Amino acid sequence: MNQSTDLPDLRHDWTADEIEALLTMPLLPLVDRARDVHRIHHDPTRVQLATLANIKRGGCPEDCGYCPQAARYATGVKGEPLAPVDEVVEAAKAAKAAGASRFCMGAAWRQVRDGPQFDRVVEMVREVDALGMEVCVTLGMLKPEQAIRLREAGLHAYNHNLDTSREHYANIISTRTYDDRLHTIGAARQAGLTVCSGGIVGMGETLRDRASLLATLANLDPHPESVPVNQLVRAPGTPLEQADAIDPMDIVRMVAAARITMPASMVRLAAGRMQLPREAKILAFQAGANSIFYGEALLTTPNPTVDEDRALMASLGLKPLEVAPRQARPGACATLTAADA
Ligand code: SAM
Ligand code: DTB
Ligand code: SF4
């Protein structure tokens, strides 16, 4: 037990065996167990609404086998230059007006390069932070000095997904390594940013790969403050276009295992909700998902509409999580609600 918070200590010594045992539990006891953990650490009536903006679309030099923005695959996504600051700030204002508390800007870059484009992203961060939203960016690989600049501009979180297990990784991406990813996560952490890191389910991985991915995430100390659980969006033209469909309950199981192993983190039901039946979404919330991407587009593919999500949340008795007060960030902010603010 942690003496200062009266909450159970967080573990950082999970084995893939233990997590595989969670993933193979009967579904209802697994959901119950995850729900119990969830209620200790979070207000179960609150869901974080995070809106995505694609600030630099397509034309990416990397070979990530799932990605519609990789230039080398004929996916129909046209490369565009970096968006102007005003356009992005307008999108953030609209997201805030629609109820989002977090704004995540994604760029189809291999890595951040110093220069006018990065200066522009830093300005976007400054202006979106000034709106009082939690700001997250995902820009590819990042060096420590660049992470510090982003932090100084008001960035809250850096998203960099591990995507899959170390073992399966080379089947999906060859243009950067698993250790490159861990270094970028380390640079963000060192700069005082919170970390958003998760993965994708449905890329031909085994149950062991899923357990191994979660073990790597859960053994980061501290845990990533947010953990996106993406279902592969099978994009035409990508090598994974024909990947086998997964059982929707596999997403529920991943959410539950993420919740149990990383109790204080936000677990985001991320890409793939268009393919997820309503009942699976409901069970995922029951199993501890407490964040969603909100707004009708992800980066290049569709997401449920704001009206659909509002109706779903209202029918379940879920309300949007308010943005945490700045002085409470980073870290425990994610568990605060309006009542705490
Ligand atoms: N280019 C940067 C990078 O890769 O780090 C940032 C943007 S990239 C699109 C961010 C993440 O989106 C990827 O790491 C992956 O987890 C997720 N993603 C991309 N395409 C996806 C797809 N088709 N289905 C599910 N998730 C996807
Ligand atoms: C994350 O884990 N998923 C988001 C966000 N972080 C950047 C991206 C999902 C992309 C889905 C495919 C697309 O729309 O291009
Ligand atoms: Fe590029 Fe990111 Fe897509 Fe990989 S996931 S191809 S790095 S945009």
Side-chain angles (χ1 to χ4, degrees):
M1 194 67 81
N2 183 313
Q3 301 295 329
S4 57
T5 60
D6 278 346
L7 290 171
D9 283 330
L10 303 179
R11 284 182 52 192
H12 302 276
D13 59 352
W14 289 93
T15 66
D17 281 343
E18 280 176 288
I19 299 176
E20 196 172 337
L22 291 175
L23 291 172
T24 49
M25 272 176 72
L27 187 64
L28 293 180
L30 173 64
V31 171
D32 275 353
R33 182 163 161 191
R35 182 83 184 156
D36 288 344
V37 172
H38 187 55
R39 296 176 72 92
I40 293 173
H41 292 267
H42 303 272
D43 175 348
T45 67
R46 298 282 174 167
V47 173
Q48 179 189 57
L49 303 179
T51 295
L52 271 171
N54 197 349
I55 60 171
K56 162 67 188 79
R57 177 181 296 265
C60 183
E62 299 295 273
D63 72 350
C64 310
Y66 48 75
C67 187
Q69 301 196 81
R72 67 188 72 202
Y73 311 132
T75 63
V77 173
K78 205 164 68 53
E80 286 177 13
L82 182 65
V85 176
D86 306 1
E87 202 177 275
V88 175
V89 174
E90 285 311 308
K93 284 183 186 161
K96 186 180 178 186
S101 61
R102 181 160 164 129
F103 194 68
C104 309
M105 299 179 272
W109 284 339
R110 167 179 165 76
Q111 67 201 86
V112 174
R113 289 177 205 282
D114 294 321
Q117 304 230 336
F118 184 45
D119 297 346
R120 200 192 295 178
V121 174
V122 170
E123 186 52 29
M124 290 174 192
V125 168
R126 201 181 311 285
E127 295 197 22
V128 178
D129 175 60
L131 300 177
M133 301 181 86
E134 257 182 45
V135 198
C136 175
V137 293
T138 180
L139 311 170
M141 291 187 285
L142 184 71
K143 296 201 207 88
E145 320 77 72
Q146 296 165 331
I148 291 167
R149 256 193 92 190
L150 289 166
R151 171 74 183 146
E152 286 172 354
L155 187 70
H156 176 71
Y158 197 80
N159 163 257
H160 203 64
N161 290 337
L162 289 178
D163 283 347
T164 191
S165 67
R166 184 183 281 279
E167 298 75 21
H168 190 49
Y169 184 84
N171 300 325
I172 308 293
I173 299 151
S174 78
T175 49
R176 71 171 89 149
T177 66
Y178 213 66
D179 286 324
D180 289 334
R181 289 192 183 251
L182 289 165
H183 283 133
T184 292
I185 291 170
R189 177 63 76 201
Q190 283 290 306
L193 293 167
T194 69
V195 169
C196 171
S197 189
I200 305 177
V201 181
M203 301 197 295
E205 72 284 348
T206 61
L207 205 64
R208 184 69 177 183
D209 288 315
R210 293 178 191 168
S212 166
L213 164 65
L214 287 176
T216 306
L217 291 169
N219 292 338
L220 294 174
D221 188 3
H223 292 154
E225 284 77 4
S226 19
V227 182
V229 175
N230 295 277
Q231 180 179 356
L232 175 69
V233 178
R234 290 176 291 175
T238 60
L240 286 167
E241 174 181 2
Q242 306 289 353
D244 288 338
I246 58 160
D247 178 346
M249 293 306 134
D250 288 3
I251 295 294
V252 175
R253 290 176 181 283
M254 276 302 271
V255 163
R259 170 54 65 225
I260 292 166
T261 53
M262 293 169 274
S265 302
M266 304 300 288
V267 175
R268 184 168 305 117
L269 192 53
R273 283 198 297 122
M274 293 297 278
Q275 296 87 260
L276 207 58
R278 174 184 163 85
E279 292 70 20
K281 291 182 211 166
I282 295 171
L283 264 180
F285 287 129
Q286 188 73 6
N290 60 350
S291 177
I292 55 171
F293 284 128
Y294 178 69
E296 58 205 34
L298 295 168
L299 293 175
T300 65
T301 64
N303 194 45
T305 64
V306 160
D307 288 347
E308 275 175 82
D309 279 338
R310 282 201 181 134
L312 176 65
M313 286 174 59
S315 75
L316 301 178
L318 297 172
K319 290 176 288 217
L321 179 72
E322 307 289 328
V323 74
R326 190 185 301 262
Q327 65 275 20
R329 301 183 218 164
C333 61
T335 61
L336 292 180
T337 65
D340 304 311

